[in-house]
Amino acid sequence: MKESNRKVLIAGNWKMNKTVKETEDFVYELKNKVNNTKTEVLLCVPFLSLKKALDESQNSKIKIAAQNCHFKESGAFTGEVSVLMLKDLGIYNVLLGHSERRQYFNETDYNINLKLKAALKENFTAIVCVGETLEERKSNITNEIISIQIKNCLKDISSEDMKNVIIAYEPIWAIGTGETASKEQAQLVCKNIRGVLENLFDFETANNVLILYGGSVKKENIKELLEEKDIDGALIGGASLDVENFNDIIEIAEKI
Ligand code: PGA
């Protein structure tokens, strides 16, 4: 049993995977499996599949999120999607600052913060990702790096806003590599994140924020990770692409 009153959230991050039809089939299959679960279920799907995923998930336990958004409401930003456009579809969840966006699309804490403000202004829930590189871990500066990312990404965010913010700790060296942080390593960083949040806001705010772990989460390691005090769920890439596999993870989470 988890000691805290926080919910458990299992989020899938599909990245650039699945066609619209594949999305429809996946959500159709999953929704019948998860309808009576107490675990929260969220799928971060590609922009083109958002509408289909949302329609298919109506009246089910599954929530749908975008994997990114722009910080401006509209304008000359070729190839971008605004928060208002997502809201128009009925989407109210967004993933921000994933390390792949930081690495391949030059996202910085600064523009993640702008995106977060834009999303919160429209009553979205945002998952903000942070994580250290292997070099940073080896140099023993993980907690410093994560603290800086948290402070920068949450600049000018109020404790009221924090009710709609989820933090995902994803060590970059563990993403898609098959290498997971040990439960002790993950717990230590998540605990530190909660401490940083307490300093920035207050005990209650920090205590209520959901903190997810991400990086090669699979059914073999989900249990031990979720048993840790400060880990409230998982952000799952590869293992979220197969519906049976993803559902197995949710079922394990259900028993924690
Ligand atoms: P992974 O990806 O589970 O495939 O390591 C996690 C993520 O990038 O969110």
Side-chain angles (χ1 to χ4, degrees):
M1 270 288 283
K2 293 290 263 184
E3 282 169 45
S4 77
N5 293 325
R6 295 183 296 270
K7 296 176 195 151
V8 173
L9 170 63
I10 300 295
N13 173 19
W14 285 359
K15 312 189 179 186
M16 196 173 70
N17 289 293
K18 293 198 189 292
T19 61
V20 176
K21 178 75 177 89
E22 286 165 348
T23 302
E24 183 180 20
D25 293 346
F26 186 109
V27 177
Y28 176 80
E29 265 195 66
L30 185 67
K31 72 178 173 190
N32 297 318
K33 296 178 193 290
V34 298
N35 252 358
N36 296 318
T37 56
K38 58 182 191 312
T39 305
E40 301 279 309
V41 179
L42 178 83
L43 292 173
C44 306
V45 311
F47 286 130
L48 285 177
S49 299
L50 284 171
K51 177 84 174 79
K52 184 61 87 180
L54 199 63
D55 288 350
E56 197 56 51
S57 65
Q58 284 306 311
N59 303 319
S60 83
K61 186 79 201 180
I62 306 169
K63 290 188 184 151
I64 304 298
Q67 296 176 7
N68 182 27
C69 66
H70 197 269
F71 49 84
K72 291 276 193 181
E73 291 188 351
S74 62
F77 300 100
T78 302
E80 291 291 313
V81 171
S82 74
V83 174
L84 290 184
M85 292 169 183
L86 295 172
K87 186 176 161 182
D88 182 47
L89 277 189
I91 296 293
Y92 281 91
N93 298 286
V94 66
L95 184 64
L96 295 177
H98 189 278
S99 67
E100 285 148 18
R101 297 228 40 99
R102 292 173 184 260
Q103 189 178 350
Y104 304 125
F105 303 98
N106 303 322
E107 283 202 16
T108 60
D109 290 345
Y110 177 73
N111 54 36
I112 294 161
N113 175 248
L114 294 180
K115 289 176 182 207
L116 178 62
K117 286 183 201 159
L120 293 173
K121 186 165 163 252
E122 300 301 334
N123 298 320
F124 274 53
T125 294
I127 303 181
V128 176
C129 305
V130 294
E132 82 286 6
T133 63
L134 189 57
E135 292 69 40
E136 288 162 347
R137 174 155 288 269
K138 283 185 178 158
S139 311
N140 284 323
I141 54 169
T142 297
N143 282 339
E144 275 165 77
I145 294 294
I146 304 293
S147 305
I148 292 168
Q149 290 176 346
I150 295 277
K151 283 180 195 154
N152 289 341
C153 291
L154 299 183
K155 188 165 182 289
D156 302 326
I157 299 298
S158 69
S159 56
E160 189 56 29
D161 285 335
M162 286 307 289
K163 291 183 179 149
N164 292 321
V165 177
I166 295 166
I167 305 291
Y169 166 55
E170 299 207 305
I172 296 170
W173 48 271
I175 295 178
T177 57
E179 201 173 321
T180 326
S182 68
K183 57 183 181 159
E184 292 84 6
Q185 284 172 322
Q187 161 59 22
L188 219 56
V189 178
C190 291
K191 183 171 172 228
N192 179 61
I193 290 173
R194 219 175 282 288
V196 174
L197 294 176
E198 190 175 341
N199 281 337
L200 286 177
F201 304 101
D202 51 71
F203 172 78
E204 202 188 325
T205 304
N207 194 40
N208 287 332
V209 171
L210 290 191
I211 303 179
L212 313 180
Y213 167 78
S216 300
V217 173
K218 42 189 181 278
K219 54 187 175 188
E220 289 77 15
N221 57 21
I222 185 73
K223 182 171 183 287
E224 60 179 34
L225 287 162
L226 288 183
E227 279 169 353
E228 292 296 327
K229 193 163 173 276
D230 288 290
I231 303 177
D232 305 312
L235 182 57
I236 307 171
S240 73
L241 293 173
D242 176 83
V243 68
E244 296 294 340
N245 209 6
F246 189 57
N247 185 54
D248 285 348
I249 295 176
I250 296 166
E251 280 184 2
I252 297 169
E254 209 43 27
K255 294 188 198 122
I256 303 288

